[in-house]
Amino acid sequence: SFMGSDFTEQEMSIIRYGDAFDPALTGAEGDEIVLKLKPKAGKAFDFAWIKMWVDRKTSFINRIEYYGAGDVKLKTQALGTVKTIRGIITQTKVVMTDHMKKHATEMEILDLKQDQGLKDEIFTKRALEWGK
């Protein structure tokens, strides 16, 4: 787990789902489209596949369910509470429920800063690993 939470580092590190998963449209529910995402060849995860609900209007992900072998639902990640903070539309709350442990972790963004003048060079893998 990540810092004792119900999130794993692996789940938190997924930034672009298209880089790691092959999606399939499975349907629609109200204003949401429903996708099934399977890991791409060569990509390994602690789950077999995920089901994702995406808002048609905002393109925000509203919910993700993580499934293991035998289609057992392992976790549910609920995203929501959209707010505008400093002019940026942001999902400010996420709740990860671990169905195996029967436990949940809630995270909330209270404030954010963007475009702080940091140079791209400080975000290279080498710089981040060495703290330079």
Side-chain angles (χ1 to χ4, degrees), residues 56-68:
R56 290 179 197 253
K57 295 175 187 167
T58 65
S59 297
F60 281 133
I61 299 167
N62 291 331
R63 184 173 68 191
I64 302 171
E65 292 178 345
Y66 298 83
Y67 289 86

Side-chain angles (χ1 to χ4, degrees), residues 1-8 11 74-79 93-108:
S1 73
F2 177 76
M3 299 182 71
S5 73
D6 292 295
F7 294 87
T8 66
E11 293 156 355
L74 305 172
K75 293 182 177 183
T76 301
Q77 182 176 349
L79 300 104
K93 194 178 220 178
V94 60
V95 178
M96 180 68 85
T97 302
D98 186 320
H99 301 292
M100 302 296 106
K101 295 179 184 175
K102 298 187 183 338
H103 190 267
T105 299
E106 180 178 308
M107 290 193 303
E108 187 171 6

